[in-house]
Amino acid sequence: MPCVAIVGGQFGDCGKGKIVDYYAEKADLVVRYQGGCNAGHTVVVGNEKFKFHLIPSGVVHGKRAIIGNGVVIDLEVLCNEIDEIKPRIKKFDLLISERAHVTLPFHRILDDVEECCRGKSEVGTTRRGVGPTYADKVSRCGLRVIDMFDDDLLNQKLDALIPLKQKILKDVFQSKEIITKKDTLNYCLKFREKIKNYVGDASLEIDKAIKNNKKILLEGAQGTLLDVDYGTYPFVTSSNPSAGGACTGAGIGPKNIDTVIGVVKGYTTRVGSGPFPTELNDDTGKRIRDKGNEYGTTTGRARRVGWFDGVVLRYAVRVNSMDGLAIAKLDVLSGLKKIKVCTSYKYNGKILDEFPASLKVLEKCEPVYEELDGWPDVSEEEWKNIAKKGYDALPKELKNYLKMIEKIGGIPTYLISVGPERESTICLKKIF
Ligand code: IMP
């Protein structure tokens, strides 16, 4: 039963796109299980760069790609992505869950006005309408993909939704935006036509695949610390990127997942607001940001950068039941004389080993660091050579760094990435 969940172990942007692409070569199905077009996954193949927001990045290998019910779909973004990606790959094989919820144009407007209204306490959302779409889903007034194909139901839903949202925009937010049923209906009709051949029962198909011993990758977006339950609430996204979300978002039970891989970078980044104990606001942070090209795939925003946080890792390993780690972007740290790893926090003179729920506590936590020797800077080509030779060819300081991370997390490393390309990968444990 080779069903593997790939989850982010930090604040998102940990290089899942590349890792999923790597494993997808041997997979039969790749399923995206939550999030929306707030996500941005990049895959580099030779001179080509693929950027994904909604379609599972595993599609590049020509595998069956499924958008699960837990994803919220911005139809325009999805259709643009289909038009962009389809002609560039040999086989484009997509299934969209009929139970997934739809992000409508007014969700983006609401995301925007809500953020403006929050002022200094803004979440720093991507303003892609993701939060408001999930809010409607949970409020039981959302529009699902399947609802768009029933004219009566679609009309009924929009008749209820549009006046309500217009009232909220006008009366609560004093917004001048005008939203009409006609425009929203036309939007749905236009895009339903484009996606109709891809829509089906994703959960049923995944279940059949499991019963037929197919190899399945469940691809998360964002990361555990942005999880609406486990993240630094309220500075989180509105879904469950953690392994639990892989079950509800793909439509399978927990017993069907046999491996959970946590993807982390060799350092930490965060976009948007919220506490970040190991943040570096100095030249080292700038150097890592520039070398790692830490600018958002979706919004282009500069990411905040910090040292690797072992408290976050320990927490992520626990709440996801992670089996192994995929550690990305280790090449970015090369050339630094010393590298720090946070092993615990100090709060009010006491040592905290566990990630606190209270943001007030977290904001006052000081990282306790262990310092390790860095490894020399080498060219991208040299990293590829090292990767070809395998683990033994890695600089000894880098091996020590990996051992340190494994010790903190209490789980082994399954994969190491030392560059954006497929060749810059060292696989230590095969999953399929
Ligand atoms: P939202 O998901 O757009 O509502 O944004 C909520 C928070 O999650 C903000 O801090 C965003 O910057 C962050 N976020 C959302 N998607 C991603 C992602 O793919 N990578 C990193 N951060 C993200």
Side-chain angles (χ1 to χ4, degrees), residues 370-425:
E370 271 197 38
E371 203 174 66
L372 286 87
D373 287 336
W375 48 91
D377 206 359
V378 295
S379 68
E380 210 171 294
E381 277 314 300
E382 188 51 33
W383 276 118
K384 280 188 204 160
N385 280 334
I386 293 174
K388 206 187 272 173
K389 290 183 197 150
Y391 179 86
D392 289 341
L394 288 172
K396 66 174 187 315
E397 298 88 353
L398 175 43
K399 286 188 207 151
N400 284 340
Y401 189 62
L402 294 173
K403 278 184 202 138
M404 176 83 180
I405 292 177
E406 288 181 339
K407 193 173 137 208
I408 296 171
I411 54 171
T413 306
Y414 282 9
L415 184 142
I416 296 162
S417 169
V418 288
E421 289 170 23
R422 284 177 181 164
E423 308 93 281
S424 319
T425 314

Side-chain angles (χ1 to χ4, degrees), residues 267-268 276-289 303-308 333 336 338 340 367 369:
Y267 50 93
T268 313
F276 183 177
T278 63
E279 185 165 12
L280 286 167
N281 289 309
D282 58 7
D283 285 350
T284 308
K286 187 175 176 314
R287 177 191 164 136
I288 297 174
R289 179 181 306 112
R303 296 176 185 145
R304 299 157 67 195
V305 174
W307 293 121
F308 190 87
L333 294 176
L336 292 170
K338 295 282 176 191
K340 291 185 186 179
Y369 288 119

Side-chain angles (χ1 to χ4, degrees), residues 4-10 14-20 22-23 259-267 308 313 317 322-330 402 405-406 411-418 425-429 431:
V4 179
I6 311 280
V7 303
Q10 297 166 316
C14 40
K16 282 183 301 297
K18 175 189 159 164
I19 308 292
V20 171
Y22 182 85
Y23 285 127
T259 303
V260 178
I261 297 183
V263 185
V264 292
K265 276 194 290 219
Y267 50 93
F308 190 87
L313 176 68
V317 169
M322 284 177 188
D323 295 289
L325 293 170
I327 309 181
K329 293 188 110 167
L330 287 159
L402 294 173
I405 292 177
E406 288 181 339
I411 54 171
T413 306
Y414 282 9
L415 184 142
I416 296 162
S417 169
V418 288
T425 314
I426 303 175
C427 182
L428 302 175
K429 184 172 159 71
I431 55 163

Side-chain angles (χ1 to χ4, degrees), residues 109-397:
I109 301 173
L110 278 166
D111 203 353
D112 202 44
V113 294
E114 283 173 14
E115 275 289 85
C116 289
C117 190
R118 287 183 193 116
K120 277 191 183 148
S121 339
E122 68 164 17
V123 175
T125 74
T126 57
R127 302 197 186 202
R128 297 295 192 268
V130 170
T133 313
Y134 279 114
D136 280 355
K137 172 177 174 174
V138 177
S139 298
R140 294 157 294 188
C141 63
L143 184 74
R144 298 178 305 162
V145 167
I146 194 156
D147 303 337
M148 283 197 304
F149 293 91
D150 175 332
D151 286 340
D152 287 344
L153 186 62
L154 178 59
N155 273 284
Q156 235 176 51
K157 288 214 160 195
L158 294 184
D159 280 335
L161 266 173
I162 301 297
L164 175 72
K165 300 298 175 184
Q166 182 67 82
K167 199 168 164 51
I168 292 172
L169 278 172
K170 186 167 168 278
D171 297 350
V172 178
F173 295 103
Q174 279 81 50
S175 163
K176 296 208 164 40
E177 292 280 357
I178 303 291
I179 55 169
T180 66
K181 178 188 166 190
K182 190 171 159 234
D183 288 347
T184 318
L185 183 63
N186 284 341
Y187 176 93
C188 293
L189 298 180
K190 174 178 164 192
F191 290 114
R192 84 171 183 193
E193 203 41 42
K194 284 192 126 186
I195 64 165
K196 68 176 187 215
N197 294 332
Y198 299 114
V199 175
D201 190 336
S203 161
L204 184 64
E205 179 163 332
I206 300 165
D207 185 61
K208 280 186 186 152
I210 289 170
K211 288 183 175 135
N212 287 319
N213 258 323
K214 299 277 185 211
K215 302 179 191 86
I216 300 160
L217 271 187
L218 304 171
E219 172 180 353
Q222 290 90 37
T224 305
L225 273 292
L226 289 178
D227 187 288
V228 69
D229 284 280
Y230 303 118
T232 50
Y233 191 89
F235 301 105
V236 292
T237 192
S238 303
S239 62
N240 289 113
S242 54
C247 298
T248 51
I252 57 172
K255 287 193 282 183
N256 283 322
I257 299 179
D258 61 349
T259 303
V260 178
I261 297 183
V263 185
V264 292
K265 276 194 290 219
Y267 50 93
T268 313
T269 59
R270 164 161 217 170
V271 223
S273 321
F276 183 177
T278 63
E279 185 165 12
L280 286 167
N281 289 309
D282 58 7
D283 285 350
T284 308
K286 187 175 176 314
R287 177 191 164 136
I288 297 174
R289 179 181 306 112
D290 291 344
K291 197 161 179 195
N293 192 23
E294 295 297 350
Y295 297 89
T297 313
T298 302
T299 58
R301 289 184 288 179
R303 296 176 185 145
R304 299 157 67 195
V305 174
W307 293 121
F308 190 87
D309 189 332
V311 184
V312 163
L313 176 68
R314 223 177 274 127
Y315 177 64
V317 169
R318 169 161 59 88
V319 300
N320 290 293
S321 305
M322 284 177 188
D323 295 289
L325 293 170
I327 309 181
K329 293 188 110 167
L330 287 159
D331 54 312
V332 174
L333 294 176
S334 54
L336 292 170
K337 279 206 167 59
K338 295 282 176 191
I339 297 178
K340 291 185 186 179
V341 179
C342 166
T343 51
S344 58
Y345 298 150
K346 200 172 199 179
Y347 172 70
N348 267 350
K350 286 198 188 114
I351 293 293
L352 291 189
D353 288 319
E354 298 301 331
F355 195 77
S358 158
L359 288 204
K360 277 195 184 152
V361 173
L362 188 61
E363 269 156 11
K364 290 196 185 123
C365 279
E366 280 172 45
V368 177
Y369 288 119
E370 271 197 38
E371 203 174 66
L372 286 87
D373 287 336
W375 48 91
D377 206 359
V378 295
S379 68
E380 210 171 294
E381 277 314 300
E382 188 51 33
W383 276 118
K384 280 188 204 160
N385 280 334
I386 293 174
K388 206 187 272 173
K389 290 183 197 150
Y391 179 86
D392 289 341
L394 288 172
K396 66 174 187 315
E397 298 88 353

